[in-house]
Amino acid sequence: MLIDALSSSLSGINAASKRLEVSADNIARASVEDSVQKRVFQQALETGGVESKVYTVSAPIDYAKEFSEQTIAMVSSKASARVYQVVQDMMDVVNREIDKPKKQVSFPA
């Protein structure tokens, strides 16, 4: 279960990274004539995590939309990174408990 949470959080970080990359590319190509705008579609997977697909949009670059996309990417990345850290902390606690010496119980004769 903890491994699934780690995998899901990494998936979220990768999706946020892809969203930021695509938005930055849109801004970089904004002044190029006939450049196409791209967007990232994210969908939750039944198995956990997120699937990201890049698609093309026939519309001019909207800087306000790109700012929103980059803000969403940053917030999503921070949230996923926080989940990852919490799961790592939980795994550390579990591992410490497993590694503790077991107390021996003695019963009176």
Side-chain angles (χ1 to χ4, degrees), residues 6 8 10 30 33 38-39 55 63 65-66 68-70 72 77 80 91 96 99-102 106 108-109:
L6 279 178
S8 291
L10 287 174
E33 191 174 323
K38 295 181 181 175
R39 286 281 166 246
Y55 63 97
Y63 289 103
K65 175 73 174 164
E66 297 308 327
S68 295
E69 288 291 315
Q70 292 182 8
I72 290 168
S77 180
S80 293
M91 290 176 72
R96 278 196 302 272
D99 291 341
K100 274 186 180 178
K102 306 298 183 241
S106 59

Side-chain angles (χ1 to χ4, degrees), residues 66-100:
E66 297 308 327
F67 177 76
S68 295
E69 288 291 315
Q70 292 182 8
T71 301
I72 290 168
M74 289 187 305
V75 170
S76 296
S77 180
K78 285 180 182 180
S80 293
R82 182 66 183 131
V83 169
Y84 186 88
Q85 183 60 53
V86 168
V87 172
Q88 284 286 357
D89 292 346
M90 290 171 67
M91 290 176 72
D92 289 345
V93 168
V94 168
N95 286 331
R96 278 196 302 272
E97 288 300 314
I98 290 172
D99 291 341
K100 274 186 180 178

Side-chain angles (χ1 to χ4, degrees), residues 16-69:
S17 177
K18 177 57 75 179
R19 182 182 292 264
L20 187 59
E21 176 187 327
V22 167
S23 179
D25 187 55
N26 284 341
I27 291 171
R29 291 182 296 99
S31 63
V32 176
E33 191 174 323
D34 296 330
S35 66
V36 292
Q37 182 180 176
K38 295 181 181 175
R39 286 281 166 246
V40 175
F41 174 74
Q42 292 176 274
Q43 182 174 3
L45 299 172
E46 286 184 29
T47 57
V50 179
E51 178 182 44
S52 301
K53 293 183 180 179
V54 178
Y55 63 97
T56 304
V57 177
S58 58
I61 303 296
D62 179 351
Y63 289 103
K65 175 73 174 164
E66 297 308 327
F67 177 76
S68 295
E69 288 291 315

